Amino acid sequence: MMKKISVSVLLVLTVCAMLSACGKKEDSMRDESLVGGETASVADDVEKDNQEIFDDQNYLTELVNENGSYKLFFGDGEQDFEEYEYSYVVPLINSDKPGAKEINDAIHSEFDEEIANLEKIRNKTSASAFDEDFVFPNWAAVNYKTFWNGSLLSLVIEKMSPYDDWTEYTVFNYDAKQGSQLSASEIVSRAGMDEDTLSADVKRGVLYYYDQMLSAFFEDHCKPGDGQDDQIVYVDYLKMRSENLKRDPKSSDNMYYLDEGQLKVYSTIDVPAGGGLINVSITPVKEDMKDFTKTYMDCVTITSANGEISICVNENDWSQETFGSSNIEFGKEYTVNGLYKNYKDCEILDLGNAHMPYPVLLCDDGTVAYIDMTECALTGDFYATEPMYGVQGVSEFAREDGAVAARLESGDMFNLQQNLDEIVNNRYPGFMKQLLSIYSLEGFELDKSADNGTIPQFYVGFHSEDESVFLFQDYVGEEHRREGRLNFIGMDEQGLIVSVVLSRDNDQDIPENMWKKGIWRIDREDYWDQAEEVSYSYLMITPLAGDDMFGNSMEAVKLTQCCG
């Protein structure tokens, strides 16, 4: 089971400092008569329809406000125990209006049994680990925080687990003047947001948050040219970023609230640290890309317009030599996929003697994305890799000694082209194998039913002696054992985007015009079948462009984990 990490964060466009134990009310805000677990009665004789002051003092009371501790003995010795503290501050809305009653009933339903258990804990503050009669608190701490927007109250109840660092939230929205509880769609409307586009706005907010986590890691550990260990951690971040991109924000519809009129939402995010999850408060980020146009060698044009970034390669002598054997069409405008944030500038760099263009895009959060046109042009579609390894805190692109440089917020500058060259050409051999979570002697195969069981049709994996070599075994018709390379070029909302080039067949090099090339979307699925008590792993491969390697008209295929 993955360990869960607790963080409560308010994200605007950059990550703020992580907060702990947020939302505790000041003592002056509490009814001290409630200490000791007495239940507060909701006043039914106070009419507040015309109340002009909407605040905690007038509209909130507390169901319980109690602190305590207990010892859990796990052995026979007097010192063989762990001591746990608990704190419960549970709010109620001080009104007899229908909306308040709905919210209070929900709070009672969640906490009444737990509050009754506090009495048992007070009477028996220590127990053996094997004492079945001892009642453990569901939460180590319960607190709340309030956000008033005129007469609209957003009430956030925060619950922290006693067994790990997981924090869970419940959100209620209440119009104190109208006496009504507001639904998620009503809160979205109050914020002036478009519910149809909100999912994308929340997803962008998640990625801003997540990429800033990655930037903080870069700052402490990763610089271009660093060794394999740091790249391994970067790969783990990429995998988690893909999981966050696939997550559906609609699952958090009941978690919307308003903070000074601004819509926010609690969202669950995958994080590499501890291999778990955190719950954070996200500000939905609207798409606001700047318009710009950049050209390279008088034929490659990258354009940002109307919230999309596109690439067009026109034909001339240079582009014919460089892209003539690729699968892109000259003069066609291609939308760049895999871009989910706001980009304010672009430069087109070149790598190697062939001067292959690499557009780099500056996001307003200080991270950089790049487009590997070498890989994309092979198969005829364009995706972006983001964020660029080891690069963070960039305020603008500039020119220094004729080269493209990145100016950091500190004022320092570094050669962006040199760093990109190291990033693209110096990935450690097992980069792709780790990105797909394929381990030693492991691969994935597609089987076909036969009279005597199943027979393999296709196999994918990596060479046992050189993990940079990608293997593609084809058992259909004449058997082919193809070898080549797999390269990461980006991600979208369904999985990782990779390019594949197979240049050897049955241990023999083959002419370039016989190479198999493609762009695939790969999504790894791992799940535990509770009924069968068996773990299953699959690779879903969806060909997006290039050759039809699976012979099924480019339909998605599902390959099952096997021993390679």
Side-chain angles (χ1 to χ4, degrees), residues 10-80:
L10 291 180
L11 172 68
V12 183
L13 293 181
T14 56
V15 177
C16 300
M18 292 184 178
L19 306 176
S20 62
C22 61
K24 293 183 179 180
K25 314 308 291 182
E26 298 295 332
D27 288 343
S28 60
M29 304 288 284
R30 295 173 177 165
D31 182 348
E32 294 301 329
S33 67
L34 299 175
V35 176
E38 298 178 16
T39 301
S41 61
V42 180
D44 56 8
D45 58 347
V46 179
E47 290 293 330
K48 297 192 175 74
D49 285 313
N50 299 316
Q51 174 70 46
E52 295 183 356
I53 300 175
F54 298 100
D55 58 17
D56 293 5
Q57 185 173 354
N58 286 303
Y59 281 92
L60 283 186
T61 185
E62 289 168 353
L63 176 61
V64 66
N65 185 328
E66 178 178 346
N67 300 297
S69 64
Y70 61 94
K71 295 178 182 179
L72 178 62
F73 285 87
F74 53 87
D76 297 330
E78 293 183 0
Q79 304 302 318
D80 295 336

Side-chain angles (χ1 to χ4, degrees), residues 191-211:
M193 301 285 284
D194 180 0
E195 198 167 7
D196 291 337
T197 62
L198 185 59
S199 177
D201 295 338
V202 172
K203 189 158 290 187
R204 273 188 286 272
V206 167
L207 293 180
Y208 270 87
Y209 172 84
Y210 188 80
D211 287 352

Side-chain angles (χ1 to χ4, degrees), residues 410-438:
S410 63
D412 295 336
M413 298 179 70
F414 67 87
N415 187 312
L416 194 62
Q417 181 163 321
Q418 179 180 343
N419 281 8
L420 180 61
D421 185 45
E422 292 177 354
I423 292 164
V424 172
N425 296 318
N426 288 284
R427 286 177 175 167
Y428 76 97
F431 187 98
M432 287 304 305
K433 186 175 180 180
Q434 184 191 349
L435 186 62
L436 300 185
S437 300
I438 296 178

Side-chain angles (χ1 to χ4, degrees), residues 213-227 229-231 233-234 237 389-390 392:
M213 287 183 61
L214 181 52
S215 291
F217 170 76
F218 285 160
E219 186 173 359
D220 293 336
H221 301 284
C222 292
K223 304 296 179 188
D226 282 351
D229 289 346
D230 288 329
Q231 288 193 47
V233 178
Y234 173 60
Y237 267 92
Y389 174 80
Q392 76 288 324

